[in-house]
Amino acid sequence: MTEIKSSAIDYGVVEAVQTQAFDVVVIGGGPAGMAAALAAHKAGARVAIVEREQHLGGILRQCIHPGFGLSHFKQELTGPEYAQRFIDQVHATDIALFLNSMVIGIDSGEGADAAVSASGVDEAPGATAVHTVTLMNPAGMLQLTGRAVVLAMGCRERTRSEIKIPGSRPAGVFTAGLAQRYINIENLKPGSRAVILGSGDIGLIMARRCTLEGISVEGVYELMPYANGLRRNVKNCLDDFGIPLHLSTTVTRVIGHDRVEAVEVSQVDEHLAPIPGTERIVPCDTLLLSVGLIPENELSVAAGVELDPRTRGAVVDQSLQTGVPGIFACGNVLHVHDLADNVTTESERAGAAAAAWALGGDAGASASGTGRELTVSPAGIAGYALPGRITAVALTKLNFRVRRPVDAARVRILAGGEELFAGKVRAFKPSVMESFPLPAKVIQRALDLGTSEIVLSVDPVEEA
């Protein structure tokens, strides 16, 4: 059967694939995808959500700890409770759901000669590219067309192979998120005596979760000289349970044949290199890795979307549109967030902009109507700045993170060698996603200077 199908493709004889038309197609049914879809629907667009799992909710289904919704709903909710509020809103609309469906490609082509949007709005011939999202599910292959696509695929965890821990390859090495799924959804116990590498929020939360499930946590080891998670998680998950946090220390070897028997840990110097003579053996049967998250952007790259090497997410403008017209990105697929509430706020902006684009409007007018745009670059201790492009003279929220903690620093906006704006002196931490309002008059000033770049610099200030 496979050979016959392949032969048919070679001769250009392919069975017609069913196609359905929408205004906006959202890829991903987690908090970002649902928020974007609801915002697009509210703006009058016909919307579809494609989700590879059997349920909406994304990663929040396994995040049973509280701490969600404080900003968006003004109450403390668990992950599943937060997700359910959006699931209920989605089900109350006519948003089309394609669950248990894997997107295998996004293609763009010019609109037909007599193009009409899914909402019945007449379009100028070839005015806007129509994007085709091809997906597979148990029923077969299906294509969804839309003038706008919202990328909301979330992120994945870095694995042992990406941080290159030496040693053998026994059972018992898990990413923290996988262990979280085993415990909270699959009702499986990953081990009895655990070591956690990395002090990101997932690692801190899993230290507490393992302890509550009767798993002894020998300690949390962090390569950097500071914790990478939110301060509240360090207190609530480690300090309150007496779990030690070892800074400037990392796992340098995994020991064991069939199952992890121990790990070797070593202190590191200021260059993050292991210090000879500081090695010690920590007996354990489980190693959990909380060593960073990576935006899930394989589909984005295949669709021609440019990625920012700093965030490993798409380069977007202030309407969250990528360099491919009509393709938008939001949530953790764009840059890794600290709070789900922030994901929701950002994704609502993306959904509204996508609907405006699909229904014949414009997601964001070009700067001063001249077609000029400004790139945004980080400097000082700023690790990244988002959006990476500014295409409109309007109040713009810049998001960024610092690369190291500092007690006193100031945000400065620079263009053409001139300081255009400066914030107040305050403390910054890498665990917190910061935002900074960029006034329209600052953008206009940068354009007047004839520059093509705005620099967001976070500069430490020497205290008197």
Side-chain angles (χ1 to χ4, degrees), residues 322-339:
T322 69
V324 179
I327 297 185
F328 298 75
C330 58
N332 282 349
V333 79
L334 180 57
H335 60 135
V336 176
H337 291 62
D338 48 0
L339 301 173

Side-chain angles (χ1 to χ4, degrees), residues 169-180:
R169 299 182 61 188
V173 181
F174 305 94
T175 59
L178 177 59
Q180 183 183 56

Side-chain angles (χ1 to χ4, degrees), residues 17 32 49 59 80 94 109 144 176 192 224 226 232 246 262 268 275 300 312 315 320-321 326 377 380 409 448 456:
V17 176
I49 297 176
I59 197 66
D94 61 354
L144 310 181
S192 300
M224 306 303 290
Y226 52 84
R232 74 180 191 195
H246 305 273
V268 299
I275 302 172
S300 312
R312 298 176 76 166
V315 176
L320 302 177
Q321 185 170 210
S377 302
D448 292 343
L456 182 148

Side-chain angles (χ1 to χ4, degrees), residues 300-317:
S300 312
V301 172
V305 172
E306 177 191 359
L307 299 189
D308 183 332
R310 302 178 188 91
T311 61
R312 298 176 76 166
V315 176
V316 296
D317 62 19

Side-chain angles (χ1 to χ4, degrees), residues 13-281:
V13 183
V14 182
E15 184 179 349
V17 176
Q18 183 184 353
T19 302
Q20 295 187 31
F22 297 90
D23 296 315
V24 178
V25 178
V26 179
I27 303 176
M34 290 190 291
L38 287 165
H41 180 270
K42 184 178 180 181
R46 184 168 178 234
V47 185
I49 297 176
V50 184
E51 167 58 46
R52 67 184 176 189
E53 298 290 336
Q54 296 180 7
H55 311 275
L56 293 174
I59 197 66
L60 294 187
R61 295 180 57 246
Q62 67 187 53
C63 300
I64 66 173
H65 50 277
F68 300 87
L70 292 169
S71 171
H72 195 77
F73 292 113
K74 309 303 180 191
Q75 13 176 176
E76 188 172 46
L77 305 170
T78 64
E81 288 172 335
Y82 186 86
Q84 193 61 48
R85 295 204 174 189
F86 289 97
I87 293 170
D88 291 343
Q89 291 179 47
V90 170
H91 286 159
T93 70
D94 61 354
I95 293 173
L97 301 179
F98 296 88
L99 304 178
N100 202 21
S101 300
M102 176 69 75
V103 174
I104 58 177
I106 305 170
D107 299 312
S108 301
E110 293 304 317
D113 292 338
V116 178
S117 75
S119 295
V121 179
D122 290 331
E123 305 288 352
T128 308
V130 174
H131 300 285
T132 302
V133 176
T134 303
L135 59 92
M136 289 290 295
N137 60 30
M141 184 180 288
L142 180 65
Q143 290 184 331
L144 310 181
T145 61
R147 297 197 179 280
V149 173
V150 179
L151 306 173
M153 294 90 70
C155 57
R156 65 171 184 264
E157 296 177 278
R158 292 177 72 200
T159 62
R160 174 185 174 180
S161 63
E162 292 183 77
I163 59 173
K164 298 178 172 58
I165 302 175
S168 53
R169 299 182 61 188
V173 181
F174 305 94
T175 59
L178 177 59
Q180 183 183 56
R181 180 181 178 91
Y182 279 170
I183 293 173
N184 294 345
I185 292 184
E186 308 292 345
N187 196 30
L188 298 172
K189 186 178 178 182
S192 300
R193 193 175 185 183
V195 163
I196 298 177
L197 175 61
S199 61
D201 289 314
I202 303 174
L204 300 175
I205 289 165
M206 283 310 296
R208 175 179 63 184
R209 190 77 185 99
C210 287
T211 301
L212 291 172
E213 289 298 325
I215 300 169
S216 172
V217 178
E218 300 301 302
V220 175
Y221 296 84
E222 171 56 53
L223 178 71
M224 306 303 290
Y226 52 84
N228 268 310
L230 297 172
R231 174 58 200 161
R232 74 180 191 195
N233 285 334
V234 174
K235 180 188 180 300
N236 294 343
C237 301
L238 300 189
D239 296 350
D240 289 358
F241 287 84
I243 299 170
L245 172 61
H246 305 273
L247 300 176
S248 296
T249 310
T250 191
V251 173
T252 47
R253 187 160 56 102
V254 177
I255 303 167
H257 186 263
D258 295 328
R259 176 83 192 193
V260 173
E261 297 171 8
V263 295
E264 177 191 83
V265 299
S266 304
Q267 295 176 25
V268 299
D269 58 23
E270 63 272 19
H271 303 296
L272 307 182
I275 302 172
T278 63
E279 305 90 348
R280 64 187 179 90
I281 303 300

